[in-house]
Amino acid sequence: MIDVLVVDDDFRVAEINAAYVGKVPGFRVAARAHSAAQAMAALERERIDLVLLDHYLPDGTGLSLVRRMRELGHHTDVIMVTAAGDVATVQAAMRHGALHYLVKPFTFSVLRSRLEGYAALRRTVSRVGGSGQSAGQEQVDRIFGALRTTGPAASSGLPSGHSVPTSDLIREVLTGARQPLSAHQVAARTGLSRSTAQRYLRQLEQTGRLRLTLKYGDTGRPEHRYAWAAPGSDGPGTGE
């Protein structure tokens, strides 16, 4: 599970964002904070993987909190979630290492796609060999590419709420399989939840990227099996 700290000065917004996080498989809210001081205390007290961070806090700014985190040796990942849409703040967030920047208001599907992209980043780093290993250009490209996400107008053809790296991960598993796989098998090999795997498989099958076959067992109820429609092709997420 990926443990998340939700930081927002508005109690109601914090609860909404926490509820959103709780709906994404693989993520859980470890703590909530409504000020920079509370957030820092939570980071000292809990094991936090990711901070969803508002910029406008009663005792400082989100960016000043990130600076303080780094000074104290906290390398926790940060996604900014704020109404601050000025370019200067966005640029400063990038320079301080924010992985994403969401401007309020946003929908659940938008946040879900960012979280799924973040989970894909962690899986990619793990597959490359972990943070202590050296990486060649191909591995570096995979790590940086893992944070790409789709939007309503993205060229990949994926709907809002679906991330490119997750689709690419499913493609990688299916093209490497010797036979069609069930949703359960895809989930096990990718590390995704079964519901997330089923959602992506259904969308990819509907757009013709996958071939769907049925395997009948003793119960008489067929099991859906999926195979990549064009083995060796670039698949979704390449823009081709």
Side-chain angles (χ1 to χ4, degrees):
M1 296 293 288
I2 296 174
D3 290 309
V4 180
L5 169 62
V6 176
V7 183
D8 200 291
D9 67 323
D10 188 316
F11 284 74
R12 182 182 61 85
V13 172
E15 287 301 316
I16 292 174
N17 290 345
Y20 280 174
V21 171
K23 292 169 62 177
V24 181
F27 289 81
R28 64 186 174 193
V29 176
R32 299 170 181 77
H34 308 291
S35 68
Q38 290 179 3
M40 187 58 67
L43 287 167
E44 296 286 355
R45 183 178 66 250
E46 308 282 349
R47 186 192 70 82
I48 303 296
D49 299 304
L50 175 67
V51 181
L52 294 186
L53 181 60
D54 188 15
H55 182 58
Y56 299 119
L57 300 172
D59 54 348
T61 66
L63 292 180
S64 64
L65 175 60
V66 176
R67 284 195 295 269
R68 183 60 175 160
M69 287 167 54
R70 302 312 184 219
E71 289 170 359
L72 295 176
H74 293 291
H75 301 296
T76 308
D77 294 318
V78 174
I79 293 179
M80 298 296 295
V81 179
T82 176
D86 59 284
V87 175
T89 301
V90 175
Q91 289 179 322
M94 293 174 60
R95 294 186 183 114
H96 284 82
L99 297 179
H100 274 304
Y101 196 106
L102 294 181
V103 179
K104 298 177 181 176
F106 53 85
T107 64
F108 166 64
S109 64
V110 170
L111 178 60
R112 181 180 63 194
S113 71
R114 300 308 190 271
L115 293 179
E116 290 180 345
Y118 174 70
L121 170 66
R122 290 169 62 95
R123 290 193 297 269
T124 300
V125 171
S126 178
R127 290 201 304 273
V128 167
S131 58
Q133 304 295 318
S134 80
Q137 186 62 53
E138 180 181 353
Q139 286 76 27
V140 170
D141 290 343
R142 288 176 61 191
I143 291 171
F144 274 84
L147 279 174
R148 293 177 301 156
T149 54
T150 60
S155 61
S156 67
L158 294 174
S160 176
H162 283 65
S163 72
V164 170
T166 301
S167 290
D168 285 344
L169 179 60
I170 290 175
R171 173 181 59 83
E172 181 180 324
V173 166
L174 289 175
T175 55
R178 296 182 177 180
Q179 59 187 8
L181 302 177
S182 67
H184 176 76
Q185 290 171 318
V186 171
R189 297 189 186 191
T190 58
L192 300 170
S193 70
R194 184 169 181 174
S195 61
T196 297
Q198 288 176 325
R199 178 161 56 87
Y200 276 79
L201 289 168
R202 188 181 306 113
Q203 190 276 332
L204 291 169
E205 188 270 329
Q206 290 173 349
T207 56
R209 290 172 170 87
L210 301 183
R211 292 194 307 270
L212 172 62
T213 58
L214 300 178
K215 180 181 179 181
Y216 290 87
D218 296 335
T219 62
R221 184 175 182 178
E223 180 182 51
H224 289 192
R225 295 291 183 107
Y226 299 90
W228 197 253
S233 67
D234 289 325
T238 64
E240 297 183 3

